[in-house]
């Protein structure tokens, strides 16, 4: 697969000396890509190219810092620290990996992906800030006006980095699955016990349409280089957002994980997100940004931390697990069921009962159900009839008012069987209803019969 790291006009910050150097760094990466494909002297050419890139990066950092000092840029020290971290930690770790693996193709791809991802993120965030306007900081995280400010920062960053218009779909994202997702966890620390945890979720096609497009990757699937580039772009994105937190500049990245959806859900359910935003970028895809406050953090196992010495191997394992799961689902496709109930006990019981045979998602309210259906259309909705605020009847009406959802079958869940309620339920013309107190085997049998015949013969 031919890879080309594409320079785009929006990367320019309007300072000729910096813009020229940025373009040159991209050309160096492209030259290494070309050299690594050559037979015979490929390794030697790569070694020389990497040394040249390393040296040129250090010189560029010095020139850029001199320019910032000349204009008395207020963020010089923080910017210098970012440069120092890349120069003293990231580059040496990558170089050691190249030497340890004798410049294996995968190690070179890892080097290129990380460097390109770091450059993309750094150029589109920190470097753009040199000449751009700063968004005012806030004093508190929880008040609605501060959440609105965070939303504004994220939307502006997405546009600045990728020229994508994004809209906030929800300010109470509940961890619903959307398409094929990539789940990232970043943990930051700032002296003592101060911690901040960020969970970001990306629809796979969004990464392909943004980072993948910048890299010029001709692929419709994630690969090792794209994931590594995305990791470092995400780091720059989160770092830029964190500038607007109180004392955000004091935080340093302590741990990074790539999560499965199951691991993400466990963290999401265990912790209490302080901010949980869901965004749509039109046809490019969805993403979410979730923050867990320091005082809400609990200790719990998440996933293998990504370190310089194991990142390449762990990313490959992550992709292999995804491919294996996707292959299993293609070979044995399962129907998708959305369980909607305000009782966590009922939701978990239904998931445990049906999870081996069906793909089960959950929502705790009618509003959450609409959001979940929008993100991941189910084959059947099991809908609690008696819920607070937005009950089953109202939820069904909302579904039927949307042409795209009107044909999704809905079976009501209820704990009552009195004739009056049954008449009310059937008057709404659902696909059927289920009594919650039925034996588990009876519930499974009735749902299985529905999928086989398209109807519930005894309507209960």
């Amino acid at each position: 697969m031919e890879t080309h790291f594409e320079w785009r006009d929006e990367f320019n910050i309007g300072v000729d000396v910096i813009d020229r150097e940025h373009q040159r760094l991209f050309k160096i990466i492209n030259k290494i890509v070309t050299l690594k494909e050559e037979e015979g002297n490929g390794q030697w050419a790569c070694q020389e190219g990497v040394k040249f890139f390393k040296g040129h990066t250090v010189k560029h950092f010095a020139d850029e810092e001199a320019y910032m000092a000349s204009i008395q840029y207020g963020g010089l020290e923080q910017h210098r620290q970012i440069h120092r971290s890349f120069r003293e930690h990231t580059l040496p770790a990558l170089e050691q990996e190249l030497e340890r693996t004798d410049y294996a193709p995968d190690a070179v791809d890892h080097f290129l992906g990380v460097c390109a991802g770091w450059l993309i993120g750094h150029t589109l965030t920190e470097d753009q800030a040199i000449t751009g306007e700063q968004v005012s900081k806030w004093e508190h995280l929880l008040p609605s006006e501060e959440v609105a400010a965070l939303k504004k920062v994220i939307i502006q960053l997405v546009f600045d980095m990728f020229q994508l218009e994004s809209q906030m779909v929800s300010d109470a994202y509940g961890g619903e699955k959307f398409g094929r997702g990539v789940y990232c966890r970043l943990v930051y620390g700032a002296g003592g016990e101060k911690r901040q945890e960020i969970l970001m979720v990306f629809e796979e096609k969004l990464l392909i349409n943004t980072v993948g497009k910048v890299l010029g990757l001709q692929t419709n699937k994630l690969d090792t280089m794209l994931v590594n580039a995305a990791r470092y772009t995400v780091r720059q994105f989160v770092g830029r957002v964190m500038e607007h937190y109180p004392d955000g500049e004091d935080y340093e990245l302590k741990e990074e994980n790539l999560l499965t959806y199951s691991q993400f859900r466990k963290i999401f359910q265990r912790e209490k997100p302080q901010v949980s935003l869901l965004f749509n970028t039109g046809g490019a895809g969805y993403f979410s940004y979730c923050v867990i406050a320091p005082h809400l953090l609990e200790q719990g196992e998440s996933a293998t931390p990504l370190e310089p010495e194991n990142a390449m191997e762990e990313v490959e394992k992550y992709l292999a697990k995804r491919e294996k799961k996707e292959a299993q689902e293609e070979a044995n496709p399962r129907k998708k069921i959305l369980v909607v109930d305000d009782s966590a006990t009922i939701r978990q019981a239904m998931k445990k009962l049906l999870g081996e045979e069906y793909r089960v998602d959950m929502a705790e309210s009618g509003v959450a159900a609409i959001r979940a259906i929008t993100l991941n259309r189910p084959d059947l909705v099991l809908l609690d009839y008696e819920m607070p605020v937005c009950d089953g009847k109202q939820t069904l009406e909302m579904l039927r008012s949307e042409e795209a959802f009107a044909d999704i079958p809905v079976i009501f869940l209820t704990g009552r069987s009195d004739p009056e309620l049954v008449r009310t339920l059937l008057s709404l013309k659902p696909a059927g209803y289920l009594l919650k107190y039925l034996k588990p085997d009876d519930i499974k049998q009735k749902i299985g019969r529905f999928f086989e015949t398209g109807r519930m013969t005894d309507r209960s």
Side-chain angles (χ1 to χ4, degrees):
M1 180 184 65
E2 183 178 353
T3 303
H4 175 72
F5 298 91
E6 178 185 353
W7 177 265
R8 290 155 56 182
D9 288 341
E10 55 265 25
F11 293 177
N12 292 316
I13 69 172
V15 180
D16 286 344
V17 64
I18 295 177
D19 291 337
R20 285 197 302 271
E21 290 306 304
H22 285 161
Q23 291 182 51
R24 192 169 298 173
L25 287 171
F26 269 66
K27 288 179 180 178
I28 294 171
I29 294 180
N30 282 327
K31 185 64 174 177
I32 298 174
V33 171
T34 301
L35 291 174
K36 84 181 183 72
E37 301 297 334
E38 293 183 1
E39 295 183 5
N41 66 342
Q43 178 174 327
W44 173 84
C46 260
Q47 290 173 328
E48 293 305 306
V50 168
K51 289 177 183 176
F52 185 65
F53 175 82
K54 183 179 177 182
H56 197 84
T57 300
V58 172
K59 179 182 182 300
H60 166 59
F61 288 169
D63 291 344
E64 191 172 85
E65 289 167 17
Y67 173 79
M68 288 187 284
S70 73
I71 63 171
Q72 299 182 319
Y73 175 57
L76 172 59
E77 286 307 313
Q78 182 183 359
H79 203 115
R80 180 179 284 137
Q81 176 58 38
I82 293 170
H83 283 170
R84 186 182 303 120
S85 177
F86 186 77
R87 183 176 63 245
E88 297 179 0
H89 301 292
T90 304
L91 276 177
L94 291 171
E95 197 167 29
Q96 288 171 13
E97 178 183 72
L98 287 169
E99 293 172 355
R100 185 175 65 249
T101 62
D102 199 23
Y103 285 75
D106 286 345
V108 175
D109 283 346
H110 183 222
F111 173 86
L112 294 171
V114 169
C115 289
W118 190 91
L119 278 172
I120 292 166
H122 188 69
T123 301
L124 296 180
T125 55
E126 303 304 328
D127 289 346
Q128 291 286 345
I130 296 173
T131 55
E133 296 182 0
Q134 298 291 324
V135 180
S136 300
K137 290 188 177 182
W138 51 70
E139 295 181 359
H140 306 286
L141 289 173
L142 288 176
S144 58
E145 61 269 21
E146 315 305 346
V147 174
L150 175 61
K151 179 194 76 171
K152 183 178 179 181
V153 169
I154 291 173
I155 288 175
Q156 187 63 51
L157 266 177
V158 172
F159 182 79
D160 290 344
M161 292 178 72
F162 301 111
Q163 283 63 60
L164 284 177
E165 296 282 356
S166 53
Q167 305 83 34
M168 188 174 77
V169 177
S170 173
D171 60 1
Y173 169 59
E176 298 90 359
K177 183 183 293 186
F178 43 90
R180 295 163 67 180
V182 176
Y183 303 87
C184 306
R185 175 178 177 262
L186 301 174
V187 180
Y188 293 83
E193 299 298 319
K194 293 179 68 175
R195 294 177 68 218
Q196 191 75 269
E197 183 168 330
I198 311 295
L199 298 173
M200 289 201 72
V201 184
F202 301 90
E203 193 170 1
E204 181 177 309
K205 70 175 183 178
L206 179 60
L207 293 182
I208 294 169
N209 287 329
T210 53
V211 179
K213 186 176 180 180
V214 172
L215 299 184
L217 296 178
Q218 304 298 316
T219 178
N220 292 321
K221 293 184 65 177
L222 296 182
D223 61 20
T224 303
M225 186 180 294
L226 175 54
V227 171
N228 280 311
R231 284 175 50 218
Y232 278 79
T233 302
V234 170
R235 285 190 187 186
Q236 303 299 321
F237 184 94
V238 173
R240 192 72 181 89
V241 172
M242 287 191 69
E243 289 181 13
H244 306 282
Y245 288 37
D247 303 320
E249 65 274 8
D250 297 331
Y251 282 85
E252 295 181 354
L253 182 65
K254 298 296 184 181
E255 185 176 332
E256 176 190 8
N257 310 109
L258 287 172
L259 308 175
T260 64
Y261 178 67
S262 176
Q263 290 169 328
F264 165 74
R265 284 293 297 179
K266 286 179 181 178
I267 293 174
F268 203 89
Q269 291 167 356
R270 181 179 73 233
E271 315 290 7
K272 298 178 181 178
Q274 192 173 30
V275 175
S276 191
L277 308 179
L278 176 65
F279 296 86
N280 185 14
T281 58
Y286 286 88
F287 73 95
S288 68
Y289 191 95
C290 309
V291 182
I292 300 172
H295 68 283
L296 295 176
L297 281 173
E298 298 178 11
Q299 297 297 322
E301 184 179 350
S302 57
T304 303
L306 296 178
E307 305 289 353
E309 60 272 12
N310 75 345
M312 184 172 67
E313 180 182 359
E314 289 301 320
V315 169
E316 289 173 351
K317 287 181 181 178
Y318 178 77
L319 290 173
K321 286 180 181 178
R322 286 170 58 91
E323 290 175 3
K324 181 178 179 180
K325 185 174 182 180
E326 289 168 6
Q328 290 173 339
E329 290 179 353
E330 288 179 5
N332 184 27
R334 296 186 296 167
K335 296 289 189 180
K336 291 187 290 186
I337 298 176
L338 176 65
V339 178
V340 187
D341 201 298
D342 61 307
S343 167
T345 301
I346 295 295
R347 294 197 303 271
Q348 292 297 335
M350 294 298 286
K351 183 175 179 64
K352 184 177 180 180
L353 175 64
L354 303 172
E356 290 187 6
E357 191 170 350
Y358 306 99
R359 293 167 58 187
V360 180
D361 289 330
M362 299 178 290
E364 73 281 359
S365 68
V367 174
I370 299 299
R371 186 170 63 237
I373 291 168
T374 301
L375 297 173
N376 194 28
R377 180 188 173 94
D379 298 296
L380 173 66
V381 177
L382 299 181
L383 177 61
D384 183 18
Y385 181 73
E386 297 172 297
M387 292 187 296
V389 184
C390 181
D391 62 20
K393 178 177 181 293
Q394 292 169 309
T395 303
L396 180 60
E397 288 173 346
M398 285 194 293
L399 281 175
R400 288 178 173 169
S401 68
E402 294 289 336
E403 184 177 350
F405 304 152
D407 61 343
I408 297 175
V410 174
I411 292 176
F412 279 124
L413 296 174
T414 179
R416 295 167 49 194
S417 59
D418 53 277
E420 183 178 351
L421 177 64
V422 170
R423 284 194 295 271
T424 301
L425 291 176
L426 295 180
S427 70
L428 300 173
K429 298 183 179 179
Y433 71 92
L434 279 171
L435 299 174
K436 295 181 182 180
Y437 55 74
L438 287 176
K439 293 179 180 179
D441 285 346
D442 289 343
I443 293 177
K444 289 179 69 174
Q445 185 182 51
K446 290 177 181 294
I447 290 175
R449 184 185 302 140
F450 172 78
F451 279 126
E452 288 176 4
T453 66
R455 58 194 179 89
M456 299 184 70
T457 54
D458 59 4
R459 308 296 288 177
S460 63

